[in-house]
Amino acid sequence: MIARHSSRLGSEEAEAIATDALGYLASDMEHLGRFLALAGIGPADLRDAASEPGFLIGVLEFYMGHEALLLAFCEARSLRPTTIATARHALDTAHGEGVVYGESGE
């Protein structure tokens, strides 16, 4: 079970939230298209990209930048909106990332 109101999340819980958020995003073609464009990948690359730690961080950052989507997802999953930022931080800490979606690091 995912911690619904915790100010701290473990990396597994955070990853579960991010993976669920990606699934929710996949059901909204408009937002998914925008996300894929920002991430610089095509739909065929989505499954492979999802296995990269920085990618899930990018999913959560995308939600944090789109309030209506964030609130809809949180309402559907009975999460507090701040849980998304907490999950993003937990993934960042667990993976030592400083990645923002769409950045190539080149």
Side-chain angles (χ1 to χ4, degrees), residues 16-98:
I17 290 169
T19 301
D20 188 27
L22 179 58
Y24 186 87
L25 185 61
S27 70
D28 182 331
M29 295 310 287
E30 180 182 338
H31 283 108
L32 179 62
R34 190 173 307 134
F35 173 74
L36 292 175
L38 288 170
I41 64 171
D45 302 319
L46 190 57
R47 187 175 303 270
D48 288 336
S51 66
E52 298 177 24
F55 184 79
L56 291 178
I57 291 170
V59 169
L60 297 177
E61 288 180 353
F62 183 76
Y63 273 83
M64 292 187 312
H66 295 85
E67 183 178 15
L69 180 65
L70 171 70
L71 295 176
F73 172 69
C74 289
E75 183 176 333
R77 300 302 192 261
S78 299
L79 295 169
R80 298 171 89 179
T82 56
T83 302
I84 303 305
T86 302
R88 190 253 179 256
H89 178 72
L91 289 176
D92 186 44
T93 301
H95 299 292
E97 299 289 327

